[in-house]
Amino acid sequence: MLSEPTVGNWFADSCFSSLQEDQMAQPAWKRSGSPIGKKGPRKTNPKYKRRSRQPWSDKEVKQLRSLAKANTPTGVISLKMERPPASIASKAQREGISLRPTNRSPYNRRKTTKKARR
């Protein structure tokens, strides 16, 4: 005896079974959307988050001061110190370190040279 599947059940069964085969049969690191084993911005242990939530040493604060004094951008500082950019900014604020570039004037005010009129 062959039973004929109804249209509604056949469609639902085929969709559910293909979803299960694609998603559930693979290990977690092979599923789409999983950051495990990836390279690029969505990798599992990015360099800028390796020392997240760890206490700051005096040596690191000195390094932060020297990098800020050299007009290094916050993103570059975070990569060099292996900490998130937000933790760099908050530690700089707590220590009284300015991360603002010193070579730029505020509000686009530039010193203009007066040209000699003839």
Side-chain angles (χ1 to χ4, degrees):
M1 276 173 81
L2 289 172
S3 64
E4 294 182 21
T6 60
V7 175
N9 291 340
W10 174 82
F11 182 73
D13 291 341
S14 65
C15 289
F16 185 69
S17 65
S18 66
L19 179 68
Q20 277 185 331
E21 289 170 8
D22 292 343
Q23 295 274 327
M24 301 308 228
Q26 298 175 352
W29 61 275
K30 282 189 176 179
R31 290 184 201 151
S32 63
S34 174
I36 303 171
K38 294 218 177 190
K39 296 178 182 175
R42 289 197 63 225
K43 54 190 170 184
T44 54
N45 190 15
K47 192 172 185 181
Y48 63 91
K49 283 190 175 182
R50 287 185 188 158
R51 292 196 35 89
S52 174
R53 296 187 173 267
Q54 290 184 4
W56 287 74
S57 67
D58 294 335
K59 189 177 179 181
E60 286 179 321
V61 175
K62 279 185 180 181
Q63 184 184 7
L64 177 62
R65 281 187 197 277
S66 66
L67 288 170
K69 197 171 187 178
N71 285 339
T72 311
T74 312
V76 175
I77 294 173
S78 76
L79 288 173
K80 285 186 176 185
M81 300 186 76
E82 298 183 354
R83 289 184 179 267
S87 72
I88 300 286
S90 64
K91 184 62 175 181
Q93 185 179 19
R94 279 183 272 140
E95 294 289 325
I97 303 168
S98 175
L99 293 175
R100 224 168 249 194
T102 57
N103 59 351
R104 293 184 188 163
S105 61
Y107 309 115
N108 290 330
R109 286 190 234 145
R110 294 183 182 160
K111 291 183 181 179
T112 56
T113 57
K114 294 183 180 178
K115 295 180 182 178
R117 293 185 182 184
R118 291 187 181 190

